[in-house]
Amino acid sequence: SILLTAYGCTTGTQETANRPINANTNANAELNSANSNLEELKMLINVPYETEDLAWKKENGSNKIVAVLRFSPEDADKITAGSGPAKGKVSISPESWYPSELTAQSETSGDSGLDGTVYDPKLFMLAPYSQGRLIRIDATNYFLLELS
């Protein structure tokens, strides 16, 4: 019975020792790649229409979500109409995890930025998120959403 007890303790120690390593690996993976799981995102914020393309991140250690969402042309127009009036124009630098269509567009425009129109992100907000911005990327059905 002493051997069994010792064996049991050793096994428990190894499992516990392995857990932090796995957690760190997952955390690093999250930093480098975006999430494309719509159901997971819907647990955090409101997504009013089905997405055709999606990449999003929740920044570690903060309450900030950044998402790039593409909707059908009809739904994109509904979102723009429901989020108006426009709050001005911006140019954003695409991040490596943005959908390839957007990073390619920024390269062809020459200035390596994406131009867009800023709207109120109220359609997407759920508590605890109470501020942010919604940007419709010009000539696309993509939106950049930042909530905190």
Side-chain angles (χ1 to χ4, degrees):
S1 117
I2 294 170
L3 286 174
L4 290 175
T5 306
Y7 179 74
C9 290
T10 304
T11 305
T13 307
Q14 285 174 336
E15 284 175 18
T16 307
N18 286 339
R19 279 191 198 124
I21 295 166
N22 293 341
N24 290 342
T25 306
N26 291 342
N28 290 339
E30 286 172 21
L31 288 175
N32 297 329
S33 65
N35 191 334
S36 59
N37 186 322
L38 179 60
E39 296 311 311
E40 245 180 86
L41 183 61
K42 283 181 170 181
M43 287 191 267
L44 301 169
I45 66 169
N46 181 48
V47 182
Y49 302 100
E50 283 302 309
T51 58
E52 294 186 348
D53 196 0
L54 170 66
W56 66 278
K57 284 186 170 190
K58 186 171 196 279
E59 293 188 3
N60 282 353
S62 78
N63 247 358
K64 184 175 181 184
I65 290 179
V66 178
V68 178
L69 312 103
R70 187 181 78 206
F71 297 95
S72 70
E74 301 78 31
D75 289 345
D77 290 340
K78 287 180 200 169
I79 290 168
T80 303
S83 302
K87 295 183 169 188
K89 302 288 284 180
V90 293
S91 184
I92 53 168
S93 298
E95 305 221 6
S96 59
W97 58 269
Y98 286 9
S100 54
E101 190 180 315
L102 279 186
T103 49
Q105 180 177 334
S106 73
E107 288 161 10
T108 55
S109 70
D111 60 3
S112 76
L114 293 167
D115 294 327
T117 304
V118 181
Y119 294 93
D120 188 325
K122 61 190 174 199
L123 290 177
F124 294 88
M125 284 187 192
L126 287 179
Y129 302 100
S130 60
Q131 56 190 4
R133 64 182 184 167
L134 178 68
I135 301 165
R136 184 172 185 175
I137 308 300
D138 289 354
T140 73
N141 297 311
Y142 277 101
F143 291 83
L144 174 69
L145 175 67
E146 296 172 345
L147 291 180
S148 56

